[in-house]
């Protein structure tokens, strides 16, 4: 069953993760406790909150980051979204979301968790909920050109040192620093 494999993979990624701060480690433990109490916590149908899968998409040289101008959030953010029952793992979900939202074939994903984040949101359920976001590093092939999907108001590459106005600057800067440390 996919919800079980998604759940197991989220627990595995969080257990193997070595956060860069005490706050991130506290969030890791909170997410593990959430998953311990929510067997279907990786699916959007779990109204109190659910695991989501995001990707920091960098170009082949890691000089540019692909951001989407999210229609609901109204800011430039990383790609990502809900896990689906067809996803075997949270890594699969992150890669599927990055591919769907970028229109880029041949993306590669680092299966190690890059970071985690939680935020309140009214998502497609239409009621307030909480996203417990697992974030992964994805690299695009050289010369990749994004194709905007219906899920985005705009989609484009930005230099990692020159992010757009209305970007989640602190979050993206932090993710880029973590990605650079892996190189």
């Amino acid at each position: 069953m996919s919800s079980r494999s998604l759940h197991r993979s989220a627990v595995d990624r969080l257990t193997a993760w070595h956060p860069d701060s005490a706050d991130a480690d506290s969030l890791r433990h909170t997410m593990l406790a959430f998953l311990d109490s929510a067997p279907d916590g990786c699916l959007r149908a779990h109204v109190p909150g659910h695991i989501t899968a995001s990707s920091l998409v960098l170009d082949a040289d890691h000089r540019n980051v692909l951001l989407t101008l999210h229609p609901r959030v109204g800011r430039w953010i990383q790609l990502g979204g809900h896990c689906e029952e067809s996803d075997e793992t949270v890594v699969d979900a992150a890669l599927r979301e990055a591919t769907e939202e970028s229109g880029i074939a041949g993306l590669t994903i680092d299966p190690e968790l890059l970071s985690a984040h939680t935020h309140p949101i009214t998502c497609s359920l239409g009621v307030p909920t909480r996203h417990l976001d697992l974030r992964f590093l994805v690299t695009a092939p050289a010369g990749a050109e994004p194709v905007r999907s219906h899920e985005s108001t705009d989609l484009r590459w930005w230099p990692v040192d020159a992010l757009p106005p209305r970007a989640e600057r602190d979050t993206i800067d932090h993710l880029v620093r973590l990605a650079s440390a892996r190189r």
Side-chain angles (χ1 to χ4, degrees):
M1 172 180 246
S2 182
S3 69
R4 285 188 188 155
S5 67
L6 276 168
H7 187 277
R8 185 172 40 255
S9 72
V11 169
D12 289 348
R13 293 297 88 217
L14 285 162
T15 301
W17 181 38
H18 301 289
D20 66 334
S21 71
D23 286 343
D25 194 43
S26 178
L27 178 57
R28 181 177 77 86
H29 285 283
T30 299
M31 287 181 162
L32 286 167
F34 164 78
L35 287 165
D36 191 43
S37 68
D40 290 330
C42 291
L43 299 176
R44 99 175 68 195
H46 192 266
V47 176
H50 40 270
I51 297 291
T52 54
S54 294
S55 298
L56 177 71
V57 180
L58 297 176
D59 66 1
D61 296 325
H62 286 204
R63 292 187 182 150
N64 296 290
V65 59
L66 186 61
L67 300 177
T68 180
L69 183 56
H70 196 281
R72 280 197 187 130
V73 177
R75 291 190 310 229
W76 291 94
I77 61 174
Q78 77 282 347
L79 308 183
H82 292 101
C83 298
E84 303 291 343
E85 291 198 45
S86 60
D87 298 318
E88 200 58 33
T89 69
V90 292
V91 174
D92 294 340
L95 184 58
R96 177 188 49 75
E97 284 287 337
T99 301
E100 287 175 1
E101 291 183 10
S102 72
I104 298 173
L107 296 172
T108 58
I109 189 166
D110 182 339
E112 288 184 42
L113 191 59
L114 183 62
S115 75
H117 185 264
T118 183
H119 52 273
I121 192 167
T122 299
C123 64
S124 58
L125 294 171
V127 295
T129 187
R130 180 159 294 276
H131 282 176
L132 296 103
D133 198 27
L134 303 181
R135 295 172 170 174
F136 297 88
L137 174 61
V138 171
T139 303
E145 291 294 330
V147 178
R148 186 178 64 83
S149 75
H150 69 280
E151 296 181 48
S152 179
T153 301
D154 198 355
L155 177 74
R156 65 175 87 158
W157 292 110
W158 294 92
V160 295
D161 59 355
L163 299 176
R166 296 187 326 177
E168 287 189 344
R169 265 182 213 288
D170 292 344
T171 299
I172 296 165
D173 284 342
H174 180 71
L175 292 172
V176 169
R177 280 193 304 277
L178 290 172
S180 293
R182 288 202 182 162
R183 284 188 102 187

